[in-house]
Amino acid sequence: MPQKPPSFAEQLADCRQLAVHLEMRDVYGIAEEEAEFAAWKGGDGGLDPGWAEQRRGWLDLVRSAVARGVVMRRARVVSEPVTDYIRYEHAGTPLNIEAGEDVRWLSRRRASDIALPGNDYWLFDNQIVRFNHFTGDGASAGPEVVGDPAVVKLCATAFEAVWERATPHAEYRI
């Protein structure tokens, strides 16, 4: 029987230098975000003052990692024009940045010649990949943790290629 992978929080706690996240879906259907996303869609598209409290668990994880000296970078490869979900992510990104993440955006058209893994992932210290698997409708299908050096190299190379071309959040217009 396969061993249950460590939680994301455990993996981030073990990380010492670098945690990078590559997101490549245009829509996610994460159950924990449904109410927040619906409220955002029903509002003016701005940042709700309650978002920071709703995301406190995540933001605290980021702050703790950054305080230990971990560099956290997130890159999003998106179709343009962007979906409502990507607009929602864009609206919430200032919270990630305030907590210590660096976030960039890359148009899918500009990523066509980059060899990308088939799934979103986190890469910790260029040693361990945590793939995030999703169902067709965007719900989480659970993680897969991989330490194979060839897979790690593919993910590290892909992320750096995306990062180099991507636009910093403050400059990315949707």
Side-chain angles (χ1 to χ4, degrees):
M1 179 178 209
Q3 185 178 10
K4 181 181 176 188
S7 71
F8 176 84
E10 290 169 327
Q11 287 192 279
L12 187 57
D14 288 342
C15 186
R16 297 291 165 240
Q17 298 174 335
L18 178 66
V20 301
H21 185 36
L22 184 62
E23 296 179 4
M24 298 178 285
R25 294 182 60 93
D26 288 318
V27 176
Y28 293 85
I30 306 301
E32 294 82 11
E33 293 178 348
E34 285 179 19
E36 184 180 273
F37 181 45
W40 176 85
K41 282 175 62 175
D44 63 5
L47 188 62
D48 183 289
W51 277 16
E53 184 57 33
Q54 294 170 19
R55 296 182 181 186
R56 183 164 38 150
W58 170 252
L59 299 172
D60 287 348
L61 280 175
V62 173
R63 286 185 188 103
S64 175
V66 170
R68 290 192 327 271
V70 175
V71 173
M72 292 189 70
R73 298 187 296 166
R74 178 187 304 255
R76 294 179 172 137
V77 177
V78 297
S79 299
E80 293 175 331
V82 299
T83 63
D84 282 347
Y85 188 89
I86 296 300
R87 290 180 192 285
Y88 158 74
E89 280 193 327
H90 191 271
T93 296
L95 293 173
N96 296 62
I97 292 169
E98 183 182 307
E101 278 190 77
D102 193 359
V103 180
R104 293 186 182 182
W105 303 81
L106 181 64
S107 167
R108 194 169 310 282
R109 286 185 176 273
R110 296 191 57 224
S112 295
D113 62 343
I114 300 173
L116 298 170
N119 297 288
D120 291 9
Y121 61 88
W122 279 91
L123 175 60
F124 300 100
D125 291 331
N126 285 323
Q127 295 185 20
I128 299 290
V129 178
R130 181 184 185 94
F131 286 110
N132 297 323
H133 295 288
F134 295 93
T135 64
D137 62 3
S140 176
E144 175 186 8
V145 176
V146 179
D148 179 309
V151 175
V152 167
K153 182 178 180 183
L154 169 67
C155 292
T157 301
F159 185 87
E160 292 306 324
V162 168
W163 190 256
E164 184 177 302
R165 289 186 192 179
T167 303
H169 175 75
E171 299 170 22
Y172 184 71
R173 303 292 172 244
I174 57 171

